[in-house]
Amino acid sequence: MARTYATRAAAPRAGTRRSRNASTDIEPTDIDPTKVDPSKTDPAKFDRTAVGATLAAARAAQELNLKRGEFELAVHLGIVRITVAEAGGRPRVSREEIDRLRSGDGFPDAVRERVRTVGTAEGARLLGISPVRFTRLARAGCITPVAFCLNRYRAIVWLYLAQELLGFAAGAPQLLTGNSPAWMRTCLGAGTDWRTRNWRSHRIERLLRGTEDPWARAAVLACALDPVQLAEVVDDPHERAYLRKVQPGPVFGPPGSVAARDTVTQLMRADDPDEILWRRVNLDLELDSAREARPAPHPGDGRRPGPDCSVPVSVPIQPTVRDPAPVQVAGLLTRLGRISK
């Protein structure tokens, strides 16, 4: 009985599914690599984040061997050109742009070096000066931060481009040694700190260079004003809502941390009277250009009838009044008579 059982187990039954290795008639070594369609083996063709000839930001950063912050800075500096989505979606990167950067000399180290940032301590070592002197140069406006981050205490930590620091050292070596000039001592003695204002100005200028839409340009300038100042310049609430809608945002969307979002909003707003006036004037001029290009949409614009459209007039329906049911007088008198008795 045992031998019969083994024989039955060894013999495959008809109609059973064959193993994965036996599901094909050829071995992998029989495939000719020269006859394989390259388009079917390209990883980008199977990438779910790729639509057409563009890639999502996350996929593009992976292709360029850049971290999230490095890729955002590369887009902000114009190193990576993006394609703005028309339907309000996230910006994307074309395949041609990825190929252009990957074919450059020294990739990927050359691209990462262009977006390398350093803090105060590392920047001071890069320039060969003390951190105190580095901070004095930054507060006086000699060097401008390009980004910032928040430490564990939610304090702002300014970051600087390493290439810009080396260029500053080559152009102004006299500020790295010896006594500080008189104008710097006067500026620092008055408590002036140009880091936030210079960061804001450079950021606004780069955002303006990245768009040609007049309403988007006005939205960039509107970020520098608080709600009260903005309402005085843009009195139409629908225009203010449209400015918030078309405002250029980060490549990966707004920061996930509430503290980071609040810090960006606070740093983008002008706090000096002369800068506030300058931003108001520029916003007013940009709004004139935007209104000439196209008006801001208002609620119900798509449903408003044109001048030649006839609006049907509804005829009020007269309510139907029913006659009251007849009262049986005889029966009522009989019941009243019974009650009186």
Side-chain angles (χ1 to χ4, degrees):
M1 295 296 294
R3 183 177 301 178
T4 305
Y5 177 80
T7 304
R8 291 179 180 178
R13 293 180 299 176
T16 57
R17 183 180 300 177
R18 292 178 295 177
S19 63
R20 183 175 300 178
N21 296 333
S23 61
T24 179
D25 296 334
I26 60 175
E27 296 293 334
T29 55
D30 297 334
I31 301 176
D32 187 2
T34 60
K35 297 181 180 180
V36 179
D37 188 3
S39 62
K40 296 182 180 180
T41 59
D42 186 5
K45 299 297 182 179
F46 297 95
D47 181 21
R48 296 182 179 179
T49 61
V51 178
T54 61
L55 298 176
R59 177 65 179 179
Q62 182 180 2
E63 296 259 350
L64 297 176
N65 294 335
L66 296 176
K67 299 178 181 179
R68 182 188 181 104
E70 293 174 341
F71 184 81
E72 288 184 347
L73 187 57
V75 172
H76 181 64
L77 297 177
I79 300 175
V80 179
R81 296 189 294 260
I82 60 176
T83 302
V84 181
E86 297 180 357
R90 298 284 176 83
R92 305 180 68 85
V93 184
S94 64
R95 170 56 64 178
E96 292 76 9
E97 180 68 9
I98 298 295
D99 296 339
R100 180 185 69 85
L101 294 172
R102 290 178 63 91
S103 61
D105 297 336
F107 177 84
D109 296 336
V111 179
R112 300 189 69 174
E113 182 62 24
R114 296 175 63 181
V115 296
R116 185 168 71 95
T117 57
V118 295
T120 300
E122 189 176 356
R125 287 194 300 267
L126 189 63
L127 298 182
I129 59 178
S130 65
V132 177
R133 192 180 188 95
F134 185 92
T135 304
R136 290 171 60 89
L137 292 173
R139 292 184 58 188
C142 299
I143 50 180
T144 301
V146 70
F148 72 92
C149 62
L150 299 179
N151 59 11
R152 66 178 68 181
Y153 307 106
R154 296 187 178 181
I156 299 175
V157 178
W158 294 108
L159 301 175
Y160 307 83
L161 281 176
Q163 289 189 346
E164 288 188 357
L165 294 180
L166 295 177
F168 167 75
Q174 68 278 3
L175 296 178
L176 303 180
T177 57
N179 296 328
S180 301
W183 65 267
M184 183 182 297
R185 295 195 300 268
T186 304
C187 177
L188 297 176
T192 305
D193 191 350
W194 286 90
R195 288 177 294 183
T196 303
R197 182 167 180 174
N198 287 345
W199 172 84
R200 179 170 52 247
S201 299
H202 284 211
R203 182 174 179 83
I204 290 177
E205 291 175 3
R206 292 189 178 104
L207 290 175
L208 290 176
R209 287 197 301 263
T211 179
E212 297 180 357
D213 182 70
W215 281 104
R217 294 174 59 88
V220 173
L221 297 175
C223 295
L225 300 178
D226 59 27
V228 177
Q229 298 282 347
L230 182 60
E232 293 178 357
V233 179
V234 188
D235 54 355
D236 189 352
H238 302 294
E239 290 185 347
R240 294 198 300 269
Y242 189 57
L243 290 176
R244 289 191 296 267
K245 180 179 179 181
V246 300
Q247 177 183 347
V251 186
F252 294 100
S257 172
V258 178
R261 292 196 298 266
D262 295 343
T263 303
V264 172
T265 303
Q266 189 65 27
L267 293 178
M268 282 295 295
R269 291 176 181 173
D271 52 1
D272 198 68
D274 61 339
E275 185 185 3
I276 293 175
L277 178 60
W278 174 250
R279 299 300 180 189
R280 287 171 62 107
V281 172
N282 288 340
L283 176 58
D284 199 8
L285 296 176
E286 198 67 46
L287 280 174
D288 292 339
S289 303
R291 289 162 180 160
E292 292 178 0
R294 68 179 186 276
H298 288 67
D301 282 345
R303 299 187 299 271
R304 288 182 179 179
D308 300 332
C309 298
S310 58
V311 181
V313 180
S314 60
V315 180
I317 301 176
Q318 297 294 337
T320 303
V321 180
R322 297 182 180 180
D323 295 335
V327 180
Q328 298 179 0
V329 182
L332 179 61
L333 294 176
T334 303
R335 289 194 295 269
L336 291 176
R338 293 177 182 175
I339 295 174
S340 60
K341 292 180 181 181

